[in-house]
Amino acid sequence: MSFQTRLLITYSLLIILLVAIIGIVFYRYNAGIVEEEAYANIDALADKMVQQLDSTVKPMDFLTSYLISDENFMSSMASLSYLDDRKPDNLIYINDGYRSIRSTLIGYSISKNFYKVNVFNRKGYFLSSDFMNDDLENIMPNLIKNINWLNKADDAQGRMILIIPYIDPWVPDARIKVFSVARCIEGPKGNMGYIEIQDKYEKLEAIFSVPQNSDINVVAVTDSGEIFYNNNVSSVSLLKYYSQLASRDSGLEGIIKNPVTHAEEIVARSSSNYTGVKIILAQDRSAILGPILLAGNMTFIIGTIIVVLSFIYIYLFSKQFAKPIRQLKYEMEKTELENLSKSITVESSNDEIKALNSSFKHLRQRLNEAVENEIKSRLFQMQANFDSLQAQINPHFIYNILNVLSNKGLEDGDEEICEICDSIAAMLRYSTSTSQHLATIGDELEHVKNYLFLMKKRFEHKLEFYIDVDKAILAQAMPKLVLQPIVENSLNHGFENVQKTMRIKIKGYAQDNWWYIEVADNGEGFSQDVLNKLSDDFKTVRDAIYNAQYNAGREIGGLGLVNTYARMALFYNGEFKFDVGNTEGGGARVMIGGIIKSDEEDDLNDESDAG
């Protein structure tokens, strides 16, 4: 039988299995989605209610703050509260204060945005932004005395309090339901009165409204445990349960069993940090899942039967049939550059599998040849670039040294001339030699010492240098001409804008099987722009090298920090350290490092002999 025929049979059976699986997961999947959507909806609705409540209360609270911060208003309240109205001399101040407060309250902004603003005190003075029935003046002291939130406002000591909905006592005949925000007006001699900002209950109904036919219970509770709002939850025990749920710090997991109704509910809670009101939204879970419950049960029964019968057959058949495919897949997954040349064998009686296996072998062979050719090509190109770079030397450096030699020769015959010439010769031999492309840390340090010796002759007392390198790392291999360009960079760029003794410190040490060399100076250091530019250039070099697109001669050039970074990256294949920054004193610091290898020195000698 051909592979195609077997594939058709297998997929026909697989379709049956998928239908069974879809039937099994249909109910759970859809139930989960419905529950998640329901919870997300009521959670978002609860947050929206909190935001709308805060948006409604904040302007009311702001108005109370505005009034008590008004100097004329507070002065008028002091006249009404502290002056004895039985003395004729005080009546003029009391009347002026009365008129001043009334003119403040009767304004377009207040009447437009709020139902009513009331200002009163316990002496019986009452002023309102609404026109008040004169018949109430005689009973006003009793009305004020019966207000049940006055003591709560006194305890708040001038802070805002939120008053749960109630029938407006100032208009007893109208039976208007309102809620309000109030403050006690604190004066220098104690309580001067109260400010109450009222708004109609219809606003709360709009804030806490829920979609029709959603069966969502809404209960809002103040921070003191009072029911601020509920949408027709008439059961006292149910209100008590929701109130306790709102005050609970934890335990709301989305679906909770209601101990009063014994039904599972999807519950969301949101609280306002501004008003202290906590809102509970609860929706019956069974009402949400009702439409899909029957279909889910039927699908589950049918799917279970199909899965049980199909599983045994498909398991035994597919295990043997898919064995060569699994083996070929395994060989593909473990294919790396290192094992491309290794041959693989996949046994199968299927002609298509054999053909696929043969094609994969040929692909591995061609890929292996292409990779080897690319590696050789890159090695030749990099070798040519590095040979060219090693032959370069700074003409300004030679010019300065020749000036030193000339001046010394003119002054007098001195042994220093010989030392200088020896150092120059050693540097030229080291930097221009292409017979050996690698060096040890010891070789690099010797080259740097020659360079610094010559620079010391040039700058004399203006240059000081210190070299402290652990002897244990001197034999470690590294690319040539790495340390000297870093030191030269410090001298050429670190002291351009400063006039002081130049100090160069080179420190080398081993730590955690890595060697490190730090070059630090006391110059002006790297600016943040330069550090950012170097970081971007380093990243560009890394990407180019790892994507096989790096060309040292064309893209970088020279012996600067970026090219030094590139050479380190190529030599160590990414396993190296290269950090550029500033010292605590403000000077520049460059740190390089690599893994300590015990056989590096032998490998280096072998390469030198081969060259």
Side-chain angles (χ1 to χ4, degrees):
M1 183 181 294
S2 67
F3 178 79
Q4 183 178 5
T5 303
R6 294 185 179 184
L7 194 61
L8 289 174
I9 295 175
T10 302
Y11 271 102
S12 298
L13 296 175
L14 181 61
I15 290 173
I16 298 175
L17 179 60
L18 290 176
V19 171
I21 294 175
I22 292 173
I24 293 173
V25 302
F26 173 81
Y27 172 75
R28 293 184 178 178
Y29 176 75
N30 286 279
I33 291 178
V34 170
E35 290 174 356
E36 288 178 2
E37 289 181 351
Y39 178 76
N41 290 336
I42 65 172
D43 187 56
L45 186 59
D47 290 339
K48 179 183 177 183
M49 290 177 179
V50 166
Q51 294 172 5
Q52 290 179 336
L53 180 62
D54 287 350
S55 298
T56 300
V57 173
K58 283 180 179 179
M60 301 168 72
D61 184 32
F62 174 77
L63 181 55
T64 64
S65 300
Y66 170 76
L67 290 176
I68 64 176
S69 64
D70 184 89
E71 183 178 354
N72 291 331
F73 177 83
M74 294 297 288
S75 176
S76 300
M77 283 301 301
S79 298
L80 295 181
S81 300
Y82 298 149
L83 295 180
D84 188 352
D85 54 8
R86 292 173 297 181
K87 295 181 179 181
D89 293 341
N90 292 335
L91 292 179
I92 185 172
Y93 300 107
I94 294 174
N95 291 333
D96 286 344
Y98 195 90
R99 285 192 297 269
S100 175
I101 295 174
R102 177 171 287 278
S103 64
T104 300
L105 297 181
I106 301 175
Y108 173 76
S109 176
I110 291 178
S111 61
K112 177 184 178 182
N113 295 295
F114 308 103
Y115 166 62
K116 193 190 299 183
V117 179
N118 304 317
V119 177
F120 58 93
N121 61 21
R122 293 182 183 264
K123 292 176 64 177
Y125 288 105
F126 180 89
L127 298 99
S128 176
S129 62
D130 193 13
F131 291 101
M132 187 184 68
N133 189 346
D134 293 336
D135 295 337
L136 295 177
E137 292 185 3
N138 296 327
I139 62 173
M140 189 58 64
N142 289 330
L143 288 177
I144 294 174
K145 183 178 180 181
N146 292 327
I147 298 299
N148 57 9
W149 52 261
L150 296 185
N151 291 333
K152 183 179 179 181
D154 291 340
D155 295 337
Q157 296 181 347
R159 295 187 300 274
M160 179 201 79
I161 63 170
L162 184 65
I163 303 171
I164 63 175
Y166 62 101
I167 301 299
D168 186 3
W170 316 115
V171 190
D173 297 334
R175 303 290 297 175
I176 299 175
K177 195 172 185 180
V178 296
F179 71 100
S180 62
V181 165
R183 282 181 187 267
C184 170
I185 306 173
E186 295 286 340
K189 298 181 181 180
N191 187 334
M192 296 194 302
Y194 306 91
I195 302 175
E196 180 189 23
I197 314 297
Q198 293 180 325
D199 223 329
K200 290 189 176 180
Y201 184 75
E202 287 80 355
K203 237 179 206 185
L204 288 184
E205 292 179 323
I207 292 173
F208 295 107
S209 63
V210 296
Q212 292 184 350
N213 303 321
S214 61
D215 297 326
I216 298 177
N217 291 329
V218 181
V219 176
V221 183
T222 65
D223 54 0
S224 61
E226 298 176 294
I227 301 297
F228 186 70
Y229 178 88
N230 83 85
N231 63 340
N232 301 320
V233 179
S234 57
S235 171
V236 176
S237 57
L238 192 57
L239 277 176
K240 183 178 180 181
Y241 164 69
Y242 286 139
S243 178
Q244 294 173 348
L245 203 62
S247 303
R248 190 186 302 175
D249 294 332
S250 61
L252 287 178
E253 303 295 338
I255 299 178
I256 300 176
K257 186 173 183 180
N258 190 319
V260 179
T261 62
H262 304 290
E264 288 188 332
E265 295 178 329
I266 297 177
V267 179
R269 177 179 61 183
S270 186
S271 60
S272 168
N273 294 328
Y274 187 78
T275 63
V277 172
K278 302 175 181 64
I279 300 174
I280 288 290
L281 272 67
Q283 189 172 19
D284 195 324
R285 182 170 178 261
S286 61
I288 299 173
L289 300 179
I292 64 171
L293 184 60
L294 179 60
N297 290 336
M298 293 295 297
T299 304
F300 181 79
I301 294 173
I302 296 173
T304 301
I305 296 174
I306 295 176
V307 167
V308 171
L309 296 178
S310 301
F311 179 80
I312 299 174
Y313 173 75
I314 294 176
Y315 174 78
L316 297 176
F317 180 81
S318 63
K319 183 177 181 180
Q320 182 63 30
F321 173 71
K323 182 178 180 180
I325 298 178
R326 291 196 301 269
Q327 186 178 357
L328 184 59
K329 175 176 176 292
Y330 171 75
E331 294 293 342
M332 290 181 176
E333 289 178 343
K334 73 176 185 178
T335 298
E336 304 287 348
L337 290 177
E338 294 79 5
N339 60 12
L340 281 176
S341 59
K342 181 182 177 181
S343 62
I344 62 172
T345 302
V346 178
E347 298 180 358
S348 174
S349 60
N350 189 288
D351 294 336
E352 287 82 357
I353 296 294
K354 290 181 178 179
L356 184 61
N357 182 34
S358 177
S359 298
F360 180 58
K361 288 182 179 179
H362 291 309
L363 176 63
R364 287 167 57 102
Q365 293 174 357
R366 293 195 299 271
L367 182 60
N368 185 45
E369 293 173 356
V371 169
E372 290 179 350
N373 291 335
E374 178 64 21
I375 291 175
K376 292 178 181 179
S377 175
R378 287 187 63 201
L379 287 175
F380 289 144
Q381 180 183 5
M382 288 187 292
Q383 190 61 64
N385 288 332
F386 290 156
D387 288 345
S388 175
L389 289 174
Q390 287 182 351
Q392 298 178 21
I393 190 163
N394 190 332
H396 296 290
F397 169 72
I398 297 177
Y399 177 81
N400 292 329
I401 296 305
L402 289 178
N403 281 341
V404 174
L405 293 174
S406 176
N407 292 334
K408 288 291 182 179
L410 290 175
E411 290 175 2
D412 58 310
D414 196 315
E415 291 184 1
E416 289 183 329
I417 299 298
C418 297
E419 295 177 355
I420 293 173
C421 291
D422 290 342
S423 296
I424 293 176
M427 287 192 66
L428 289 175
R429 283 195 300 271
Y430 185 79
S431 61
T432 59
S433 173
T434 58
S435 61
Q436 183 174 323
H437 306 291
L438 301 178
T440 64
I441 293 177
D443 295 335
E444 282 288 281
L445 286 174
E446 190 65 30
H447 185 60
V448 169
K449 288 178 181 178
N450 287 328
Y451 173 77
L452 288 173
F453 171 77
L454 294 174
M455 290 295 97
K456 179 68 174 178
K457 296 304 179 183
R458 175 188 173 188
F459 294 109
E460 296 181 344
H461 66 280
K462 294 182 179 180
L463 173 63
E464 297 177 2
F465 61 89
Y466 309 91
I467 299 177
D468 181 16
V469 178
D470 189 347
K471 293 182 180 180
I473 68 172
L474 294 179
Q476 295 298 312
M478 65 185 303
K480 288 180 67 175
L481 294 177
V482 169
L483 291 182
Q484 186 268 336
I486 296 175
V487 176
E488 184 177 359
N489 186 77
S490 293
L491 293 178
N492 289 345
H493 303 291
F495 301 91
E496 290 179 335
N497 301 316
V498 294
Q499 297 293 329
K500 60 180 179 180
T501 300
M502 298 178 289
R503 292 186 176 89
I504 303 296
K505 183 175 182 180
I506 302 174
K507 179 182 178 182
Y509 56 93
Q511 181 177 325
D512 298 333
N513 203 37
W514 280 69
W515 61 263
Y516 298 95
I517 296 179
E518 294 183 3
V519 179
D521 61 54
N522 64 330
E524 54 187 321
F526 295 103
S527 67
Q528 190 59 46
D529 291 340
V530 171
L531 290 176
N532 293 338
K533 178 66 167 56
L534 286 173
S535 178
D536 294 339
D537 289 343
F538 291 165
K539 183 179 185 301
T540 301
V541 168
R542 286 197 306 273
D543 294 342
I545 289 174
Y546 300 146
N547 293 327
Q549 297 174 353
Y550 176 66
N551 185 327
R554 178 174 63 82
E555 294 184 3
I556 306 301
L559 293 173
L561 291 178
V562 177
N563 189 64
T564 303
Y565 177 91
R567 297 176 63 206
M568 294 280 289
L570 287 168
F571 180 75
Y572 292 105
N573 195 26
E575 294 185 0
F576 73 107
K577 304 290 186 181
F578 199 105
D579 182 58
V580 178
N582 292 321
T583 64
E584 294 182 358
R589 179 187 62 83
V590 179
M591 184 274 288
I592 63 175
I595 298 176
I596 295 178
K597 296 182 179 179
S598 59
D599 57 346
E600 285 289 331
E601 189 173 4
D602 293 336
D603 292 343
L604 182 61
N605 293 333
D606 293 341
E607 182 180 344
S608 177
D609 296 339

